Amino acid sequence: MKQIKLSVNEEKTRVCRVPEDTFDFLGYTFGRYYSPKTGRAYLGTRPSRKSVRRVIERLHAETDRRTGLLDTAVIVQRINRLLQGWAGYFCLGPVSKSYRAIDRYTIRRLRRWLCCKHKVGSHGYTRFPDAYFYTRLGLVCLRPLTRTRPWATA
């Protein structure tokens, strides 16, 4: 390790017994999971909570009040790029729950941003239904992506 000038981070390094414990590495959580169809245990991966929290923070920043003067198409384009890149990296393991949570947060946050932009006093569910975001604005929905990847369903 000293020859290639690397050192071990003592705070992050620990011994982990994989079937009982889980560990995070490169944005994934490795550990024991159970198949929803058969109930059998297997060793696998899923996106870590920290990586889901980070993408939610970035979505929050993209739909901040300071971006209220930008065009809606620009904001949706930025969000689509963010979601497609995140989903492209986190496509291994049972990702359905993570995708669903991110989709719900994206719709809620974008609806709130549009209500502030257009000065709508309500929550905007009738003026901006979910279908409006996917059909009219072209927002990417992550949930259907799990159907095209057989290893991503859970």
Side-chain angles (χ1 to χ4, degrees):
M1 296 281 284
K2 290 182 181 180
Q3 291 176 353
I4 55 176
K5 298 178 183 175
L6 292 177
S7 61
V8 175
N9 189 344
E10 297 295 332
E11 295 173 7
K12 293 182 178 180
T13 305
R14 66 183 172 99
V15 175
C16 181
R17 303 201 186 277
V18 174
E20 296 85 22
D21 296 335
T22 61
F23 66 95
D24 292 343
F25 183 67
L26 295 176
Y28 280 99
T29 300
F30 292 81
R32 179 189 298 175
Y33 300 102
Y34 297 93
S35 172
K37 294 179 183 176
T38 62
R40 294 181 59 187
Y42 66 94
L43 295 178
T45 62
R46 72 167 187 239
S48 67
R49 288 184 177 165
K50 187 176 178 181
S51 61
V52 172
R53 189 172 45 242
R54 275 194 189 143
V55 76
I56 285 176
E57 288 172 1
R58 290 194 52 202
L59 286 168
H60 186 85
E62 288 293 333
T63 56
D64 195 38
R65 287 181 176 258
R66 289 174 274 172
T67 62
L69 296 175
L70 293 175
D71 189 35
T72 306
V74 172
I75 295 296
V76 170
Q77 183 183 18
R78 286 182 182 177
I79 290 173
N80 282 346
R81 192 175 328 124
L82 172 67
L83 292 177
Q84 286 171 340
W86 191 87
Y89 182 76
F90 292 103
C91 62
L92 298 176
V95 296
S96 299
K97 289 181 183 179
S98 300
Y99 282 8
R100 198 175 320 122
I102 291 169
D103 277 342
R104 279 195 313 255
Y105 183 80
T106 303
I107 289 291
R108 188 173 62 232
R109 189 68 189 168
L110 198 54
R111 184 179 287 126
R112 187 175 184 187
W113 182 83
L114 282 171
C115 286
C116 287
K117 179 179 178 66
H118 297 294
K119 296 181 176 42
V120 176
S122 67
H123 294 288
Y125 289 105
T126 55
R127 187 167 179 185
F128 307 113
D130 290 354
Y132 173 79
F133 295 104
Y134 299 123
T135 57
R136 297 267 319 267
L137 297 180
L139 184 67
V140 171
C141 184
L142 297 180
R143 282 174 285 168
L145 296 178
T146 59
R147 291 187 200 120
T148 59
R149 298 180 177 127
W151 62 84
T153 57

